[in-house]
Short mmCIF file of all heavy atoms in Angstrom, two decimals:
data_model
loop_
_atom_site.label_atom_id
_atom_site.label_comp_id
_atom_site.label_asym_id
_atom_site.label_seq_id
_atom_site.Cartn_x
_atom_site.Cartn_y
_atom_site.Cartn_z
N VAL A 1434 23.01 10.55 -6.86
CA VAL A 1434 22.11 9.90 -5.92
C VAL A 1434 22.24 8.41 -6.06
O VAL A 1434 22.61 7.93 -7.12
CB VAL A 1434 20.66 10.40 -6.14
CG1 VAL A 1434 20.13 9.97 -7.49
CG2 VAL A 1434 19.70 9.88 -5.01
N ARG A 1435 21.93 7.65 -5.00
CA ARG A 1435 22.02 6.21 -5.03
C ARG A 1435 20.77 5.56 -4.51
O ARG A 1435 20.00 6.20 -3.74
CB ARG A 1435 23.28 5.70 -4.30
CG ARG A 1435 23.40 6.02 -2.81
CD ARG A 1435 22.74 5.00 -1.89
NE ARG A 1435 23.12 3.64 -2.08
CZ ARG A 1435 24.16 3.07 -1.50
NH1 ARG A 1435 24.87 3.77 -0.62
NH2 ARG A 1435 24.44 1.78 -1.69
N THR A 1436 20.54 4.32 -4.94
CA THR A 1436 19.51 3.51 -4.32
C THR A 1436 20.16 2.41 -3.52
O THR A 1436 21.37 2.23 -3.59
CB THR A 1436 18.57 2.90 -5.42
OG1 THR A 1436 19.34 1.95 -6.20
CG2 THR A 1436 18.02 3.99 -6.32
N PHE A 1437 19.33 1.65 -2.83
CA PHE A 1437 19.86 0.56 -1.93
C PHE A 1437 19.34 -0.79 -2.36
O PHE A 1437 18.30 -0.90 -2.95
CB PHE A 1437 19.47 0.88 -0.51
CG PHE A 1437 20.12 2.11 0.09
CD1 PHE A 1437 19.56 3.36 -0.15
CD2 PHE A 1437 21.27 1.98 0.79
CE1 PHE A 1437 20.15 4.52 0.36
CE2 PHE A 1437 21.90 3.13 1.29
CZ PHE A 1437 21.33 4.40 1.09
N GLN A 1438 20.13 -1.78 -2.03
CA GLN A 1438 19.77 -3.19 -2.38
C GLN A 1438 18.45 -3.52 -1.77
O GLN A 1438 17.60 -4.17 -2.38
CB GLN A 1438 20.87 -4.11 -1.87
CG GLN A 1438 20.60 -5.59 -2.22
CD GLN A 1438 21.74 -6.43 -1.71
OE1 GLN A 1438 22.78 -5.99 -1.30
NE2 GLN A 1438 21.57 -7.74 -1.78
N ILE A 1439 18.29 -3.15 -0.50
CA ILE A 1439 16.98 -3.38 0.21
C ILE A 1439 16.27 -2.01 0.17
O ILE A 1439 16.75 -1.03 0.66
CB ILE A 1439 17.17 -3.81 1.67
CG1 ILE A 1439 17.95 -5.16 1.68
CG2 ILE A 1439 15.81 -3.91 2.37
CD1 ILE A 1439 18.27 -5.62 3.10
N ALA A 1440 15.09 -2.03 -0.52
CA ALA A 1440 14.39 -0.79 -0.77
C ALA A 1440 14.07 -0.07 0.55
O ALA A 1440 13.57 -0.70 1.53
CB ALA A 1440 13.06 -1.05 -1.53
N ARG A 1441 14.33 1.27 0.57
CA ARG A 1441 14.10 2.03 1.77
C ARG A 1441 12.87 2.94 1.53
O ARG A 1441 12.17 2.87 0.52
CB ARG A 1441 15.31 2.81 2.12
CG ARG A 1441 16.53 1.95 2.43
CD ARG A 1441 17.70 2.74 3.01
NE ARG A 1441 18.75 1.87 3.38
CZ ARG A 1441 19.80 2.28 4.07
NH1 ARG A 1441 19.96 3.56 4.47
NH2 ARG A 1441 20.82 1.41 4.36
N GLY A 1442 12.64 3.82 2.53
CA GLY A 1442 11.51 4.71 2.39
C GLY A 1442 10.66 4.67 3.67
O GLY A 1442 11.08 4.17 4.72
N PHE A 1443 9.47 5.19 3.56
CA PHE A 1443 8.57 5.31 4.71
C PHE A 1443 7.39 4.35 4.47
O PHE A 1443 6.51 4.69 3.67
CB PHE A 1443 8.15 6.76 4.92
CG PHE A 1443 9.28 7.67 5.21
CD1 PHE A 1443 9.93 8.30 4.13
CD2 PHE A 1443 9.66 7.90 6.51
CE1 PHE A 1443 11.02 9.17 4.39
CE2 PHE A 1443 10.72 8.78 6.79
CZ PHE A 1443 11.42 9.39 5.75
N PRO A 1444 7.38 3.21 5.11
CA PRO A 1444 6.41 2.18 4.73
C PRO A 1444 4.89 2.58 4.95
O PRO A 1444 4.09 2.08 4.26
CB PRO A 1444 6.78 1.01 5.65
CG PRO A 1444 7.59 1.58 6.79
CD PRO A 1444 8.26 2.77 6.20
N ARG A 1445 4.66 3.44 5.88
CA ARG A 1445 3.26 3.87 6.11
C ARG A 1445 2.81 4.95 5.22
O ARG A 1445 1.58 5.22 5.15
CB ARG A 1445 3.05 4.26 7.56
CG ARG A 1445 3.28 3.07 8.54
CD ARG A 1445 2.92 3.45 9.96
NE ARG A 1445 3.14 2.38 10.93
CZ ARG A 1445 2.90 2.47 12.22
NH1 ARG A 1445 2.39 3.60 12.74
NH2 ARG A 1445 3.10 1.41 13.00
N LEU A 1446 3.70 5.65 4.55
CA LEU A 1446 3.33 6.70 3.60
C LEU A 1446 2.98 6.09 2.23
O LEU A 1446 3.47 5.04 1.90
CB LEU A 1446 4.44 7.71 3.51
CG LEU A 1446 4.84 8.49 4.70
CD1 LEU A 1446 5.92 9.56 4.30
CD2 LEU A 1446 3.64 9.19 5.35
N SER A 1447 2.14 6.77 1.55
CA SER A 1447 1.77 6.33 0.19
C SER A 1447 2.92 6.41 -0.81
O SER A 1447 3.91 7.13 -0.51
CB SER A 1447 0.54 7.09 -0.30
OG SER A 1447 0.93 8.43 -0.61
N VAL A 1448 2.72 5.82 -1.95
CA VAL A 1448 3.72 5.95 -3.00
C VAL A 1448 3.99 7.40 -3.37
O VAL A 1448 5.10 7.84 -3.45
CB VAL A 1448 3.28 5.13 -4.21
CG1 VAL A 1448 4.17 5.43 -5.46
CG2 VAL A 1448 3.37 3.60 -3.88
N LEU A 1449 2.88 8.16 -3.55
CA LEU A 1449 3.01 9.54 -3.93
C LEU A 1449 3.67 10.36 -2.81
O LEU A 1449 4.51 11.22 -3.10
CB LEU A 1449 1.64 10.20 -4.20
CG LEU A 1449 1.01 9.88 -5.56
CD1 LEU A 1449 -0.30 10.60 -5.68
CD2 LEU A 1449 1.94 10.23 -6.70
N GLU A 1450 3.35 10.12 -1.57
CA GLU A 1450 4.02 10.83 -0.45
C GLU A 1450 5.48 10.54 -0.39
O GLU A 1450 6.34 11.42 -0.11
CB GLU A 1450 3.30 10.49 0.83
CG GLU A 1450 1.91 11.07 1.01
CD GLU A 1450 1.11 10.47 2.14
OE1 GLU A 1450 1.45 9.33 2.55
OE2 GLU A 1450 0.16 11.14 2.57
N ASN A 1451 5.88 9.28 -0.61
CA ASN A 1451 7.26 8.89 -0.63
C ASN A 1451 7.99 9.65 -1.73
O ASN A 1451 9.11 10.16 -1.53
CB ASN A 1451 7.45 7.43 -0.82
CG ASN A 1451 7.53 6.62 0.48
OD1 ASN A 1451 8.61 6.57 1.06
ND2 ASN A 1451 6.42 6.08 0.92
N LEU A 1452 7.39 9.71 -2.91
CA LEU A 1452 8.04 10.45 -4.01
C LEU A 1452 8.14 11.97 -3.72
O LEU A 1452 9.21 12.52 -3.93
CB LEU A 1452 7.22 10.25 -5.27
CG LEU A 1452 7.20 8.83 -5.89
CD1 LEU A 1452 6.23 8.73 -7.00
CD2 LEU A 1452 8.60 8.43 -6.33
N MET A 1453 7.11 12.53 -3.16
CA MET A 1453 7.14 13.94 -2.91
C MET A 1453 8.25 14.32 -1.89
O MET A 1453 8.88 15.36 -2.02
CB MET A 1453 5.79 14.40 -2.37
CG MET A 1453 4.68 14.42 -3.38
SD MET A 1453 3.10 14.92 -2.68
CE MET A 1453 3.44 16.66 -2.28
N LEU A 1454 8.47 13.42 -0.96
CA LEU A 1454 9.51 13.73 0.12
C LEU A 1454 10.94 13.84 -0.51
O LEU A 1454 11.76 14.50 0.14
CB LEU A 1454 9.51 12.62 1.18
CG LEU A 1454 8.38 12.70 2.20
CD1 LEU A 1454 8.42 11.47 3.06
CD2 LEU A 1454 8.52 13.94 3.02
N TYR A 1455 11.15 13.24 -1.65
CA TYR A 1455 12.45 13.29 -2.23
C TYR A 1455 12.67 14.43 -3.22
O TYR A 1455 13.77 14.63 -3.75
CB TYR A 1455 12.79 11.98 -2.94
CG TYR A 1455 13.24 10.93 -1.95
CD1 TYR A 1455 12.33 10.32 -1.07
CD2 TYR A 1455 14.58 10.52 -1.89
CE1 TYR A 1455 12.70 9.37 -0.18
CE2 TYR A 1455 14.96 9.53 -0.95
CZ TYR A 1455 14.03 9.00 -0.13
OH TYR A 1455 14.43 8.04 0.76
N GLY A 1456 11.63 15.27 -3.44
CA GLY A 1456 11.76 16.36 -4.32
C GLY A 1456 12.65 17.50 -3.67
O GLY A 1456 12.69 17.64 -2.47
N ALA A 1457 13.32 18.25 -4.52
CA ALA A 1457 14.16 19.35 -4.04
C ALA A 1457 13.33 20.51 -3.52
O ALA A 1457 12.15 20.62 -3.86
CB ALA A 1457 15.12 19.78 -5.18
N ARG A 1458 13.95 21.36 -2.71
CA ARG A 1458 13.34 22.60 -2.21
C ARG A 1458 11.98 22.31 -1.54
O ARG A 1458 10.96 22.84 -1.93
CB ARG A 1458 13.20 23.59 -3.35
CG ARG A 1458 14.49 23.93 -4.09
CD ARG A 1458 14.31 25.08 -5.01
NE ARG A 1458 13.19 24.99 -5.94
CZ ARG A 1458 13.15 24.22 -7.01
NH1 ARG A 1458 14.25 23.51 -7.34
NH2 ARG A 1458 12.08 24.18 -7.80
N GLN A 1459 12.10 21.54 -0.49
CA GLN A 1459 10.88 21.16 0.28
C GLN A 1459 10.47 22.36 1.18
O GLN A 1459 11.22 22.71 2.11
CB GLN A 1459 11.16 19.92 1.17
CG GLN A 1459 11.34 18.66 0.40
CD GLN A 1459 10.07 18.08 -0.11
OE1 GLN A 1459 8.96 18.50 0.34
NE2 GLN A 1459 10.14 17.01 -0.86
N PRO A 1460 9.29 22.93 0.98
CA PRO A 1460 8.88 24.02 1.86
C PRO A 1460 8.63 23.59 3.34
O PRO A 1460 8.81 24.35 4.25
CB PRO A 1460 7.58 24.51 1.21
CG PRO A 1460 7.09 23.39 0.39
CD PRO A 1460 8.31 22.67 -0.06
N GLY A 1461 8.27 22.30 3.51
CA GLY A 1461 7.98 21.80 4.85
C GLY A 1461 9.22 21.65 5.71
O GLY A 1461 9.13 21.34 6.88
N GLU A 1462 10.49 21.79 5.11
CA GLU A 1462 11.67 21.68 5.88
C GLU A 1462 11.86 22.88 6.76
O GLU A 1462 12.73 22.84 7.69
CB GLU A 1462 12.88 21.48 4.95
CG GLU A 1462 12.83 20.11 4.22
CD GLU A 1462 13.96 19.99 3.23
OE1 GLU A 1462 14.65 20.99 3.00
OE2 GLU A 1462 14.09 18.88 2.68
N SER A 1463 11.15 23.96 6.52
CA SER A 1463 11.16 25.10 7.40
C SER A 1463 9.99 25.02 8.34
O SER A 1463 8.82 24.91 7.90
CB SER A 1463 11.07 26.41 6.55
OG SER A 1463 10.77 27.51 7.37
N LEU A 1464 10.25 25.05 9.68
CA LEU A 1464 9.13 24.90 10.66
C LEU A 1464 8.08 25.95 10.51
O LEU A 1464 6.88 25.61 10.49
CB LEU A 1464 9.74 24.92 12.04
CG LEU A 1464 8.78 24.68 13.20
CD1 LEU A 1464 8.00 23.38 13.03
CD2 LEU A 1464 9.43 24.75 14.59
N PRO A 1465 8.40 27.25 10.35
CA PRO A 1465 7.36 28.19 10.21
C PRO A 1465 6.45 27.97 9.00
O PRO A 1465 5.22 28.08 9.05
CB PRO A 1465 8.09 29.55 10.09
CG PRO A 1465 9.41 29.29 10.78
CD PRO A 1465 9.76 27.87 10.42
N LEU A 1466 7.11 27.58 7.83
CA LEU A 1466 6.27 27.32 6.66
C LEU A 1466 5.51 26.06 6.76
O LEU A 1466 4.43 25.91 6.14
CB LEU A 1466 7.20 27.21 5.40
CG LEU A 1466 7.79 28.55 4.97
CD1 LEU A 1466 8.73 28.33 3.75
CD2 LEU A 1466 6.76 29.55 4.62
N ALA A 1467 5.99 25.08 7.57
CA ALA A 1467 5.21 23.85 7.79
C ALA A 1467 3.94 24.16 8.57
O ALA A 1467 2.93 23.51 8.36
CB ALA A 1467 6.10 22.81 8.50
N ILE A 1468 4.04 25.11 9.50
CA ILE A 1468 2.90 25.45 10.34
C ILE A 1468 1.93 26.37 9.62
O ILE A 1468 0.70 26.19 9.57
CB ILE A 1468 3.36 26.05 11.68
CG1 ILE A 1468 4.19 25.03 12.44
CG2 ILE A 1468 2.17 26.55 12.48
CD1 ILE A 1468 4.84 25.60 13.69
N LEU A 1469 2.49 27.43 9.02
CA LEU A 1469 1.73 28.45 8.27
C LEU A 1469 2.30 28.61 6.87
O LEU A 1469 3.11 29.49 6.60
CB LEU A 1469 1.75 29.79 9.03
CG LEU A 1469 1.02 29.81 10.42
CD1 LEU A 1469 1.34 31.11 11.10
CD2 LEU A 1469 -0.44 29.58 10.24
N PRO A 1470 1.98 27.67 5.97
CA PRO A 1470 2.54 27.74 4.62
C PRO A 1470 2.20 29.01 3.86
O PRO A 1470 1.04 29.45 3.88
CB PRO A 1470 2.01 26.50 3.98
CG PRO A 1470 0.72 26.21 4.66
CD PRO A 1470 1.01 26.63 6.09
N SER A 1471 3.17 29.60 3.18
CA SER A 1471 2.96 30.76 2.37
C SER A 1471 2.35 30.37 1.04
O SER A 1471 2.28 29.16 0.70
CB SER A 1471 4.28 31.50 2.16
OG SER A 1471 5.18 30.67 1.37
N ARG A 1472 2.02 31.36 0.23
CA ARG A 1472 1.51 31.04 -1.11
C ARG A 1472 2.56 30.33 -1.89
O ARG A 1472 2.25 29.37 -2.66
CB ARG A 1472 1.08 32.33 -1.80
CG ARG A 1472 0.54 32.10 -3.21
CD ARG A 1472 0.10 33.44 -3.83
NE ARG A 1472 -0.97 34.05 -3.08
CZ ARG A 1472 -1.51 35.20 -3.38
NH1 ARG A 1472 -1.05 35.87 -4.42
NH2 ARG A 1472 -2.47 35.71 -2.65
N ALA A 1473 3.83 30.75 -1.79
CA ALA A 1473 4.92 30.14 -2.52
C ALA A 1473 5.10 28.67 -2.09
O ALA A 1473 5.38 27.80 -2.91
CB ALA A 1473 6.16 30.93 -2.37
N ALA A 1474 4.97 28.44 -0.75
CA ALA A 1474 5.11 27.09 -0.27
C ALA A 1474 4.02 26.19 -0.76
O ALA A 1474 4.26 25.03 -1.16
CB ALA A 1474 5.13 27.10 1.30
N ARG A 1475 2.79 26.69 -0.76
CA ARG A 1475 1.70 25.89 -1.31
C ARG A 1475 1.87 25.57 -2.78
O ARG A 1475 1.57 24.49 -3.31
CB ARG A 1475 0.37 26.58 -1.06
CG ARG A 1475 -0.04 26.61 0.42
CD ARG A 1475 -1.50 27.07 0.59
NE ARG A 1475 -1.72 28.40 0.09
CZ ARG A 1475 -1.58 29.45 0.87
NH1 ARG A 1475 -1.25 29.31 2.16
NH2 ARG A 1475 -1.86 30.69 0.41
N ALA A 1476 2.43 26.58 -3.53
CA ALA A 1476 2.68 26.37 -4.96
C ALA A 1476 3.71 25.30 -5.16
O ALA A 1476 3.61 24.50 -6.07
CB ALA A 1476 3.08 27.69 -5.60
N ARG A 1477 4.78 25.31 -4.33
CA ARG A 1477 5.83 24.34 -4.48
C ARG A 1477 5.33 22.92 -4.12
O ARG A 1477 5.65 21.96 -4.81
CB ARG A 1477 7.00 24.66 -3.53
CG ARG A 1477 8.17 23.67 -3.57
CD ARG A 1477 8.71 23.49 -4.94
NE ARG A 1477 9.77 22.52 -5.06
CZ ARG A 1477 10.08 21.83 -6.15
NH1 ARG A 1477 9.50 22.10 -7.29
NH2 ARG A 1477 11.08 21.01 -6.10
N GLU A 1478 4.41 22.80 -3.10
CA GLU A 1478 3.84 21.54 -2.78
C GLU A 1478 3.03 20.98 -3.97
O GLU A 1478 3.04 19.84 -4.28
CB GLU A 1478 2.93 21.70 -1.54
CG GLU A 1478 3.67 21.85 -0.26
CD GLU A 1478 4.32 20.58 0.27
OE1 GLU A 1478 3.97 19.51 -0.28
OE2 GLU A 1478 5.12 20.63 1.24
#
């Protein structure tokens, strides 16, 4: 993985939200799970 000379990210999201977005195996990447998260998806969050 690499970082950039000019820091990137989502400026309106919090520090924690920015960090969470970069974690592996994001349950929210699946549209059905984003709408109706399963128990496993909530546990991963």
Side-chain angles (χ1 to χ4, degrees):
V1434 64
R1435 59 88 53 90
T1436 68
F1437 293 85
Q1438 181 180 351
I1439 299 175
R1441 299 189 175 190
F1443 298 89
R1445 295 187 181 181
L1446 296 184
S1447 71
V1448 168
L1449 282 182
E1450 289 167 336
N1451 268 278
L1452 291 172
M1453 289 178 67
L1454 281 174
Y1455 279 72
R1458 304 189 310 280
Q1459 291 280 352
E1462 291 176 353
S1463 166
L1464 182 58
L1466 288 178
I1468 298 173
L1469 294 171
S1471 65
R1472 180 179 299 179
R1475 289 193 296 270
R1477 180 57 182 159
E1478 288 285 348

